[in-house]
Amino acid sequence: MAEAKIKIEGMSCQHCVMAVKKALGGISGVTSSDVEVGSALVRYDESKATGKDLKAAIEKAGFTVKP
Ligand SMILES: [Cu+2]
C-alpha cells in the first residue's frame, strides 16, 4: 500500500474538495483519500494505480497538481 501527499492548485471551496474526492474515488486501487482545499492524502494499491493515475484524475477534474 502506498501513500501520496499531493499538492493541488485551483481548489477554493468544499465543492472542489468533493470534486477531487470523487475523481480519486473513481480510480481502481485507491482505498482512501483525505482531501482538503489545496491538498490530498491518498492511500492506494501500487499494483493497481500509480502516482501518474492520481495526477491524471485530478487534472481531468479541472485542477492542477503541483510538482
Ligand atoms: Cu470550489
Side-chain angles (χ1 to χ4, degrees), residues 23-40:
L24 291 169
I27 304 168
S28 80
V30 170
T31 53
S32 75
S33 63
D34 291 324
V35 183
E36 51 189 71
V37 173
S39 70

Side-chain angles (χ1 to χ4, degrees), residues 4 6 24 27 30 42 44 49-59:
I6 303 168
L24 291 169
I27 304 168
V30 170
V42 188
Y44 61 101
T50 64
K52 249 186 184 175
D53 294 330
L54 306 181
K55 182 174 190 254
I58 291 168
E59 299 204 323

Side-chain angles (χ1 to χ4, degrees), residues 1-33:
M1 197 63 65
E3 197 173 80
K5 177 87 177 163
I6 303 168
K7 286 189 179 171
I8 305 165
E9 245 168 25
M11 295 177 74
S12 58
C13 68
Q14 285 306 310
H15 291 110
C16 302
V17 170
M18 291 310 294
V20 170
K21 213 170 164 57
K22 196 177 163 195
L24 291 169
I27 304 168
S28 80
V30 170
T31 53
S32 75
S33 63

